[in-house]
Amino acid sequence: MSRSDEYSRLATLVATTRETSGDLFGQALVEWLRQHVRFDHCVIFGYRGASRPPLLFETFSPTESHVFVALYQEGPYLLDPFHHAAVERKEGFWRMRELAPDRFYASEYFRSYYSQTRLAEEVGFFVPLPGKDALVLSLMRLRASGPFGTADARLLRDMAPAVISFIRLRWPALPADETAEAKQDETAAIVNEFDRAHIWQSLSLTPREKHVVDLVLQGHSTESIARAMRIVPGTVKVHRRNIYRKLKIKSQAGLFARFVEIIDARIR
């Protein structure tokens, strides 16, 4: 790629930040990024607390979009490390492996949903917006392509300030219609970055038990939960035993099944 081509694509990218509809900006950004790093897919989601994340751009086929977008928006996003990082106002370039809990890749969420994506790796540019909103641009490589190399990740991290600036020019705030939709769901909108236990309010659990449920489903180990809650691992085990007894389940698979039930009830 010549320097003139680089400048031409940058000029196109800058021009498309002023568009008010369509995918011109996303397409221009993807073309510019692909000059530097190889990846299979790109998707941009907006996040506001626990509200359903609006899709802003995607490169998936209709079949792929069903898994990466439609199924994701139905509830699995609540357990996504990228969602948590966005709500916690992280900024810059991050790899999934840097954000995922210590037992994420062995979690029921990973086995039941994330493995369907057939990804080797996902990385993202995190863009906090005014208020508590945020955008995340994800770049994905399928298993057939292999994970991003160290040099690729270093280059993308160096490019993060420019990418974030372009995204903020295109989306200084989440679309107004999504804001209105979020306001209709006051229960979801009041969530903060540290306590999402209200999601499990339909369960007959104590606030601490709800917090444990949330962390278990995200993929945290007993030791990680203990650190997050500032309690000893033995207390975490007691909470888990009480949770399983109250919910009449015997495993994390049963807990995930109950999570799916709750999400299905919210959608209806």
Side-chain angles (χ1 to χ4, degrees):
M1 181 66 63
S2 68
R3 182 162 295 183
S4 62
D5 287 335
E6 168 82 3
Y7 290 157
S8 175
R9 294 198 175 184
L10 272 175
T12 299
L13 179 55
V14 171
T16 59
T17 61
R18 296 190 291 272
E19 72 164 336
T20 57
S21 62
D23 291 336
L24 294 178
F25 170 76
Q27 292 165 1
L29 184 56
V30 164
E31 288 182 9
W32 179 60
L33 288 169
R34 277 188 168 142
Q35 288 181 240
H36 304 281
V37 174
R38 182 170 55 87
F39 54 90
D40 295 306
H41 292 302
C42 174
V43 64
I44 304 176
F45 281 109
Y47 292 102
R48 178 181 290 112
S51 299
R52 182 176 182 271
L55 172 70
L56 302 177
F57 175 77
E58 64 172 322
T59 61
F60 305 117
S61 69
T63 301
E64 292 165 332
S65 186
H66 175 70
V67 174
F68 284 96
V69 179
L71 289 182
Y72 179 77
Q73 289 177 316
E74 287 180 4
Y77 70 89
L78 290 166
L79 304 179
D80 181 10
F82 275 23
H83 167 259
H84 287 268
V87 172
E88 290 172 2
R89 312 290 291 166
K90 286 190 181 296
E91 182 171 346
F93 173 83
W94 296 83
R95 306 178 79 165
M96 176 65 79
R97 67 183 66 170
E98 296 171 329
L99 300 174
D102 58 349
R103 295 289 292 167
F104 174 74
Y105 296 100
S107 68
E108 191 62 33
Y109 163 74
F110 182 86
R111 289 193 292 267
S112 299
Y113 169 73
Y114 201 86
S115 61
Q116 295 182 59
T117 64
R118 294 179 293 123
L119 291 179
E121 186 174 11
E122 181 178 4
V123 300
F125 296 96
F126 291 75
V127 188
L129 296 176
K132 294 187 176 181
D133 297 348
L135 296 181
V136 178
L137 182 154
S138 294
L139 300 181
M140 303 171 174
R141 292 190 66 175
L142 298 171
R143 291 172 189 164
S145 302
F148 291 90
T150 302
D152 289 338
R154 185 183 303 116
L155 178 56
L156 289 171
R157 204 178 302 277
D158 290 342
M159 295 173 70
V163 173
I164 290 170
S165 294
F166 285 135
I167 291 175
R168 283 189 174 131
L169 283 173
R170 173 61 184 88
W171 289 291
L174 289 187
D177 57 336
E178 296 293 347
T179 301
E181 179 182 323
K183 286 182 179 177
Q184 293 174 4
D185 188 357
E186 294 180 2
T187 301
I190 61 173
V191 70
N192 62 53
E193 58 268 39
F194 301 110
D195 181 10
R196 303 180 323 131
H198 73 278
I199 296 169
W200 321 111
Q201 61 187 351
S202 62
L203 306 179
S204 57
L205 304 176
T206 68
R208 284 223 151 185
E209 289 169 346
K210 292 173 185 176
H211 195 180
V212 170
V213 166
D214 196 34
L215 293 172
V216 167
L217 287 172
Q218 289 176 46
H220 287 271
S221 67
T222 295
E223 292 72 21
S224 180
I225 293 172
R227 288 192 297 271
M229 297 183 65
R230 298 182 180 179
I231 56 180
V232 298
T235 301
V236 176
K237 292 177 181 178
V238 170
H239 284 315
R240 291 186 69 158
R241 285 198 296 270
N242 290 338
I243 290 165
Y244 286 13
R245 175 179 53 79
K246 289 181 179 180
L247 301 184
K248 296 181 172 62
I249 58 176
K250 297 182 179 180
S251 66
Q252 187 183 137
L255 191 60
F256 186 80
R258 186 59 61 87
F259 163 75
V260 172
E261 290 175 6
I262 292 171
I263 295 304
D264 285 345
R266 287 178 59 181
I267 293 173
R268 296 194 194 99

